[in-house]
Amino acid sequence: MAFIDQIKARAKADKKTIVLPESMDKRTYAAAEQILKEGIANLIIIGTPDEIKKNSEGYDLTGCKFVDPFTDPNRQKYIDKFVELRAKKGMTPEAAEEQMTKDYMYYACLMCKCGDADGAVSGACHSTGNTIRPALQLLKCKPGISSVSGFFFMEVPDCEFGDNGKFVFADCAVNTDFDSAKLAEIAYLSAESFEMLTGDKAKVAMLSYSSKGSAKHDDVTKVADAVEIAHKNHPEIELDGELQLDAALVPSVGAAKAPGSTVAGHANTLVFPSLEAGNIGYKLVQRLAKADAYGPVLQGLSMPVNDLSRGCFAEDIVGVVAITAVQSQQNK
């Protein structure tokens, strides 16, 4: 069974309520039709009657709940919660109301915060920043976590590496500045994510252009220091580095470049040293190896909120909604 089919089955077994705030995009409705037909999640779509009528024509959305942010009976509850959460930033009821109705992602996050939904998915027609900003302001990070990061779950066909072709690649979408502490935190969260999604043990490789000191540079030292921090803070994780990509994936190369390592040659969770490397890396694998790339999935938030590529298809939205539902099951 393919990875995403396993995730869908898990989502169906304990259905969660996921909010889709992009009522202005037809892909939302195509995805919603499939999600509802397969019973993957309960859905809420935020939008005015005109927006929904204009974009949903031709789709069977039986069972979907539609929320008009201008007439919703819960509107005042969300305004009050918004003001409460952002009072120190000078938030007023008037400003809260304007923000909620101008940007439906704020409305979606408030629904999650107030317990009326279990997660949200956005990004088909909004930037990653516009998806993450409301989540950070209203839902915030998990206790003990300093920042949000993003990963792609990669499933590579006919692949002998990783976990039968399954990998987590991080961070490919969120952080532009990595220091050693942040890299270590990303490694911990990525290991958690891999194990939550697959049920298998994560083997985390901290990637570099150097393997075990074969090159000397501040960029190499940053990764080596991250490995030390991760080992100290999370000794339960099977993690090694710094490793070149071939040393991380290919057993014979791993044995030559990092003898004695239980990760080298067997990694399934790849932590890239920069956003550029991560973003380029996942797209290379997606396009050249014809891999399925699900994400960017966000990790570190107190509730699951996930992003989409603006070039996504409806089927991609279905997959990310299923992943969000499974994250929510774990969150509970």
Side-chain angles (χ1 to χ4, degrees):
M1 184 184 290
F3 160 74
I4 201 60
D5 293 326
Q6 296 173 3
I7 292 297
K8 287 179 180 179
R10 288 169 63 184
K12 293 176 191 177
D14 181 15
K15 285 173 71 173
K16 298 301 178 185
T17 299
I18 308 301
V19 190
L20 303 176
E22 293 178 311
S23 54
M24 65 296 295
D25 194 300
K26 290 184 181 295
R27 289 170 293 178
T28 294
Y29 301 97
E33 181 179 58
Q34 185 177 339
I35 291 162
L36 294 165
K37 183 178 179 180
E38 294 187 34
I40 294 167
N42 302 313
L43 289 182
I44 299 171
I45 295 178
I46 301 173
T48 64
D50 286 346
E51 288 168 332
I52 291 164
K53 182 179 179 181
K54 176 182 177 182
N55 295 296
S56 67
E57 187 174 354
Y59 296 105
D60 181 2
L61 300 172
T62 303
C64 186
K65 180 179 179 180
F66 298 98
V67 170
D68 182 348
F70 294 91
T71 62
D72 181 16
N74 288 319
R75 173 187 170 94
Q76 190 59 50
K77 176 175 72 173
Y78 301 145
I79 291 172
D80 293 343
K81 178 58 71 173
F82 201 163
V83 172
E84 174 192 330
L85 293 170
R86 303 290 291 170
K88 291 182 180 178
K89 299 292 184 180
M91 182 59 67
T92 65
E94 294 76 19
E97 183 177 18
E98 180 182 3
Q99 189 70 54
M100 287 163 44
T101 52
K102 182 176 68 176
D103 185 343
Y104 295 168
M105 190 57 188
Y106 279 91
Y107 210 95
C109 288
L110 287 161
M111 295 184 84
C112 293
K113 187 68 175 180
C114 291
D116 297 327
D118 300 302
V121 174
S122 179
C125 51
H126 291 88
S127 70
T128 294
N130 287 337
T131 296
I132 294 176
R133 193 176 304 109
L136 281 175
Q137 290 179 3
L138 300 172
L139 300 176
K140 306 194 184 301
C141 292
K142 292 178 180 178
I145 300 301
S146 66
S147 64
V148 175
S149 54
F151 69 88
F152 278 83
F153 191 92
M154 309 294 295
E155 187 171 29
V156 185
D158 304 317
C159 179
E160 62 189 285
F161 304 122
D163 185 12
N164 295 316
K166 296 189 289 292
F167 300 88
V168 158
F169 285 17
D171 181 343
C172 305
V174 179
N175 291 285
T176 54
D177 296 309
F178 294 174
D179 59 18
S180 297
K182 185 170 285 188
L183 274 175
E185 185 174 83
I186 291 168
Y188 161 67
L189 290 170
S190 299
E192 263 196 344
S193 294
F194 182 88
E195 292 177 1
M196 182 270 293
L197 290 171
T198 68
D200 296 328
K201 179 68 176 174
K203 292 180 178 288
V204 184
M206 307 292 281
L207 298 180
S208 175
Y209 59 82
S210 167
S211 290
K212 297 293 187 175
S214 63
K216 303 297 181 185
H217 190 275
D218 288 347
D219 288 342
V220 175
T221 302
K222 176 181 73 174
V223 178
D225 289 347
V227 172
E228 289 189 16
I229 294 168
H231 281 157
K232 178 181 177 182
N233 293 344
H234 304 287
E236 73 281 6
I237 298 175
E238 199 165 347
L239 174 149
D240 204 359
E242 83 282 5
L243 293 171
Q244 292 163 289
L245 182 66
D246 55 354
L249 297 183
V250 183
S252 59
V253 179
K257 293 188 175 183
S261 172
T262 61
V263 171
H266 306 284
N268 52 36
T269 302
L270 306 181
V271 178
F272 290 82
S274 71
L275 185 65
E276 293 135 309
N279 194 269
I280 292 166
Y282 103 78
K283 289 184 177 180
L284 274 171
V285 173
Q286 180 186 32
R287 300 302 178 183
L288 298 185
K290 301 187 186 306
D292 290 321
Y294 299 99
V297 181
L298 303 182
Q299 52 188 9
L301 287 166
S302 65
M303 294 185 74
V305 169
N306 283 318
D307 192 16
L308 298 161
S309 166
R310 278 174 282 179
C312 71
F313 297 100
E315 184 63 39
D316 300 321
I317 301 174
V318 175
V320 174
V321 166
I323 289 171
T324 307
V326 170
Q327 282 181 310
S328 179
Q329 292 170 356
Q330 305 301 310
N331 219 38
K332 296 294 184 184

